[in-house]
Amino acid sequence: MPKEINPKESSRATAYELWMKARDPMVTFFKTLDVTNFLTVSRKKKLKFNMLLCYCIAKAAVNIEEFYTLPVDEKLMQYDTIAVSTIVNNKRGGINFCDIPYTEDLETFNQHYLENTAWVAEHCDNKDLSSESLVIGTSAIIETELDGIVGMNTGIFNNPFISWGRYRKKDLQYELPISFQFHHTQMDGSHAGRFLENLQKEINVLLMRG
């Protein structure tokens, strides 16, 4: 369960003073990922591309301390666990969000992903873990290729958020441009850059896990 911490006693004290009440507190980074390994693993193991990316997003974040704190209203909250949210098309033609708890074991994560998204699609309701875990939001717009997305910049939804479109082929590789949005109170550019480097590394070594 999250707990409120004193910003002045945290590593984010200066950031809190600078950015908590900023008009535009969100920062967006753009990066193109090499997802060639994803397609190999997805086809070989019959695993969903979106699931694999959600798994690697969470795994890239878990060892970065700043991902466990989040500005909520004017409070700074600290979490113990991380989850990843994905958008699900429900049976009524609408959409809902579905939070997947992170676990290091890929088979367990995949099971949670399949069970939770199937439940959301059938019940047309959200699976919300925000009261328990720091949730990293995601959105996949696979109907088209995109160079980047800038999300809401209001500070209402402060969770880190990653968006992407359809992957594309370049020579013998497959690329996926993504957008990573984060609240500047939560992390600095160096933390976001380290996360994106971690994400590419996790994608590259996924084959080694079988």
Side-chain angles (χ1 to χ4, degrees), residues 195-208:
F195 163 70
L196 291 173
E197 285 298 301
N198 286 354
L199 177 55
Q200 182 64 73
K201 289 176 183 177
E202 292 300 330
I203 292 170
N204 290 345
V205 301
L206 191 63
L207 278 173
M208 298 179 185

Side-chain angles (χ1 to χ4, degrees), residues 1-2 14 21 34 40-41 46-47 65 72-73 78 85 96 125 147 185:
M1 297 293 290
T14 300
K21 295 184 179 180
D34 179 351
T40 302
V41 174
K46 298 182 179 179
L47 297 170
E65 178 183 351
V72 180
D73 297 326
Q78 187 174 63
S85 184
N96 291 98
D125 197 5
D147 295 321
T185 298

Side-chain angles (χ1 to χ4, degrees), residues 55 59 102-109 209:
Y55 172 79
K59 188 164 179 62
Y102 170 70
T103 178
E104 187 173 7
D105 182 71
L106 179 57
E107 289 187 12
T108 302
F109 184 88
R209 300 193 183 101

Side-chain angles (χ1 to χ4, degrees), residues 141-172:
I141 299 88
I142 60 173
E143 290 77 14
T144 187
E145 296 179 2
L146 295 171
D147 295 321
I149 303 170
V150 177
M152 289 182 290
N153 222 19
T154 63
I156 296 175
F157 301 103
N158 295 336
N159 294 62
F161 200 89
I162 303 174
S163 305
W164 60 88
R166 185 188 303 160
Y167 60 78
R168 55 198 180 199
K169 189 173 183 179
K170 183 178 181 180
D171 299 325
L172 298 177

